[in-house]
Amino acid sequence: MQIGMVGLGKMGGNMAERLRRGGHEVVGYDHDPAISDVASLKELVERLSAPRTVWVMVPAGKPTQQTVDELGELLDEGDIVVDGGNSHYVDDQKHAAELREKGIGFVDCGVSGGVWGLQNGYALMCGGEQAEVERVMPIFETLKPEGEDGFVHAGDVGAGHFAKMVHNGIEYGMMQAFAEGWELLEASDVVKDVRGSFSSWRTGTVIRSWLLDLMVRALDDDEHLEQLRGYAQDSGEGRWTVQAAVDHAVPLPVITAALYARFASRQDDSPAMKVVAALRNQFGGHAITSSEGSTGKGADSPGADVTPPREAE
């Protein structure tokens, strides 16, 4: 099958390569001319035979909107656009409606697999009309892992990215659980082999998983993670998952806490913890640490100006 691939970064480039290895003809476009097959989206469309299929792998938000807008002017009735990026499912519905007015189909596809997808295949979650999904199935079949699993037509337009959004929310929670367990093991005076403890869980336990395998791999590279700073970004899906939970009145305490933990990781000196420290000092006389690192007297310690009644925390 012939397909156009817009965006040839870490994911898009590997996906294009997997498709080529699977016998498909891929025409790729990227802003980097060194890796692009064509000089523009217009040339990409001209290189494809009708009815065309163009897969978009660019960042969510404005870049995707601009790409969809331009493709809407270049493509013809009967062509299909697949958004395989990490778009918000609400944007999918908007894009589908805009393209539908011009007779252009739209399929949203959440893609999971990261840098390992070229070798292992990609888990695909798509949304859209049945006939349009079926037209793209040869592409989906090549991208997905071998076997029955790894692909779902989740529902209407937006369902694919909604499913991927929830997938990433679950991923946030799982990673946070591993992270907290690792920190507790590292803090223990009893456990001497933290890396070995994680590795022992890879066989026979209920938490064995690829994520656990990757955790052990990271500890093999840096046993105590001393080369890393405890700072974690979020790519948007975690926030959208929590917002969707609010919209649907569904409690997500684990995923929400994992998202907030990432926010906390970006603070060298947490403003909120300053308030907590100050209040603990005021009502309980607990020692406080200054911005220079020195420890001050508690509010009810000898020499303090105020002696409030003692409270238990």
Side-chain angles (χ1 to χ4, degrees):
M1 180 174 172
Q2 187 186 55
I3 188 170
M5 181 71 71
V6 181
L8 301 174
K10 291 180 181 178
M11 287 282 283
N14 280 347
M15 290 168 67
E17 177 60 25
R18 184 173 174 90
L19 289 172
R20 289 188 174 108
R21 293 179 184 180
H24 299 281
E25 179 187 348
V26 181
V27 180
Y29 170 68
D30 194 272
H31 287 304
D32 182 356
I35 59 176
S36 187
D37 299 319
V38 292
S40 65
L41 278 180
K42 183 175 184 296
E43 185 180 348
L44 179 141
V45 171
E46 290 172 347
R47 288 268 299 271
L48 300 176
S49 301
R52 307 171 185 85
T53 299
V54 179
W55 190 302
V56 178
M57 287 296 292
V58 300
K62 188 175 180 180
T64 295
Q65 182 68 63
Q66 291 175 335
T67 303
V68 170
D69 288 345
E70 190 171 351
L71 287 172
E73 297 299 321
L74 295 170
L75 294 173
D76 297 321
E77 184 175 348
D79 294 343
I80 294 177
V81 173
V82 181
D83 180 3
N86 284 326
S87 292
H88 196 194
Y89 73 96
V90 175
D91 292 339
D92 294 327
Q93 295 163 350
K94 175 176 177 286
H95 296 156
E98 292 169 347
L99 293 174
R100 192 74 62 198
E101 292 179 357
K102 302 177 181 182
I104 301 169
F106 181 87
V107 174
D108 64 286
C109 186
V111 181
S112 181
V115 296
W116 299 88
L118 174 60
Q119 174 184 339
N120 299 333
Y122 300 88
L124 308 172
M125 299 140 269
C126 73
E129 294 187 4
Q130 183 66 33
E132 292 171 352
V133 171
E134 288 179 356
R135 268 185 52 188
V136 190
M137 276 307 300
I139 299 298
F140 294 145
E141 290 287 355
T142 301
L143 288 174
K144 68 181 284 295
E146 294 182 4
E148 295 182 4
D149 297 325
F151 172 84
V152 62
H153 180 187
D156 298 332
V157 168
H161 280 140
F162 195 100
K164 176 59 163 50
M165 176 187 74
V166 174
H167 164 280
N168 281 27
I170 294 170
E171 179 185 297
Y172 275 46
M174 292 175 65
M175 286 194 289
Q176 186 65 24
F178 279 130
E180 291 175 7
W182 173 83
E183 184 174 0
L184 182 56
L185 287 171
E186 284 281 326
S188 168
D189 293 330
V190 180
V191 177
K192 305 301 182 184
D193 187 357
V194 174
R195 183 262 171 212
S197 298
F198 271 89
S199 185
S200 73
W201 300 340
R202 297 166 71 185
T203 305
T205 75
V206 72
I207 65 169
R208 62 187 185 273
S209 62
W210 187 46
L211 201 57
L212 179 58
D213 291 341
L214 293 177
M215 178 71 186
V216 174
R217 187 171 183 266
L219 296 177
D220 285 340
D221 293 338
D222 182 5
E223 184 175 0
H224 301 288
L225 302 181
E226 295 169 328
Q227 301 173 25
L228 300 178
R229 178 188 168 200
Y231 180 104
Q233 274 289 6
D234 69 286
S235 56
E237 294 93 342
R239 302 185 190 204
W240 297 337
T241 305
V242 171
Q243 182 59 58
V246 172
D247 294 342
H248 292 81
V250 175
L252 297 185
V254 171
I255 293 173
T256 302
L259 174 65
Y260 283 13
R262 295 199 184 190
F263 295 161
S265 78
R266 301 168 202 169
Q267 298 177 330
D268 293 327
D269 186 14
S270 169
M273 287 302 104
K274 291 181 181 181
V275 175
V276 172
L279 290 175
R280 291 179 77 250
N281 173 248
Q282 290 298 318
F283 71 66
H286 300 285
I288 55 176
T289 302
S290 72
S291 58
E292 289 79 21
S294 59
T295 301
K297 297 177 180 179
D300 61 347
S301 58
D305 295 331
V306 181
T307 306
R310 289 300 301 268
E311 299 274 355
E313 183 182 9

